[in-house]
Amino acid sequence: MQYESDDMPVVFFYEVDLKDNRFCLREIEVFVNGEVKLDDNPYDDVIEVCPIPTVDELNANVWGEGFYAAIISREEFNEIWNTGIYSGSIIPERDIKY
């Protein structure tokens, strides 16, 4: 997600249940300072439960601008979940200048 402020996550990881209408099972949020927040009940404090948009929808700006989505493996998700450490980039791949 495009940077807005230090108290807003810039990288989100969702474990999406593809057999249950794309609902989120677990969520990882990464902040610009490297802090990682794990949430195994992402719908706990929401008013309405909504499915996670597809990668194509997010990248087509269907849900607004400032998003870049990519699919990662279950192993990659679990590594971050189990360690609480994200060592990847907080800059979307499309914005990296080589």
Side-chain angles (χ1 to χ4, degrees), residues 7-26:
D7 61 336
M8 296 282 298
V10 290
V11 178
F12 293 84
F13 294 97
Y14 297 110
E15 180 179 36
V16 178
D17 188 345
L18 299 177
K19 295 178 185 174
D20 187 19
N21 296 317
R22 301 191 56 77
F23 288 115
C24 182
L25 300 171
R26 297 183 294 173

Side-chain angles (χ1 to χ4, degrees), residues 9-84:
V10 290
V11 178
F12 293 84
F13 294 97
Y14 297 110
E15 180 179 36
V16 178
D17 188 345
L18 299 177
K19 295 178 185 174
D20 187 19
N21 296 317
R22 301 191 56 77
F23 288 115
C24 182
L25 300 171
R26 297 183 294 173
E27 173 186 28
I28 302 169
E29 298 176 344
V30 181
F31 295 81
V32 73
N33 67 358
E35 176 188 352
V36 174
K37 179 183 170 194
L38 308 174
D39 189 352
D40 62 358
N41 193 0
Y43 297 116
D44 187 39
D45 60 353
V46 298
I47 295 172
E48 182 178 356
V49 175
C50 298
I52 301 299
T54 67
V55 168
D56 290 339
E57 289 174 331
L58 287 168
N59 290 337
N61 298 325
V62 171
W63 294 93
E65 294 185 15
F67 297 102
Y68 170 75
I71 296 173
I72 65 168
S73 70
R74 177 181 306 276
E75 292 78 19
E76 289 173 292
F77 184 95
N78 284 331
E79 176 72 21
I80 300 165
W81 184 268
N82 292 329
T83 65

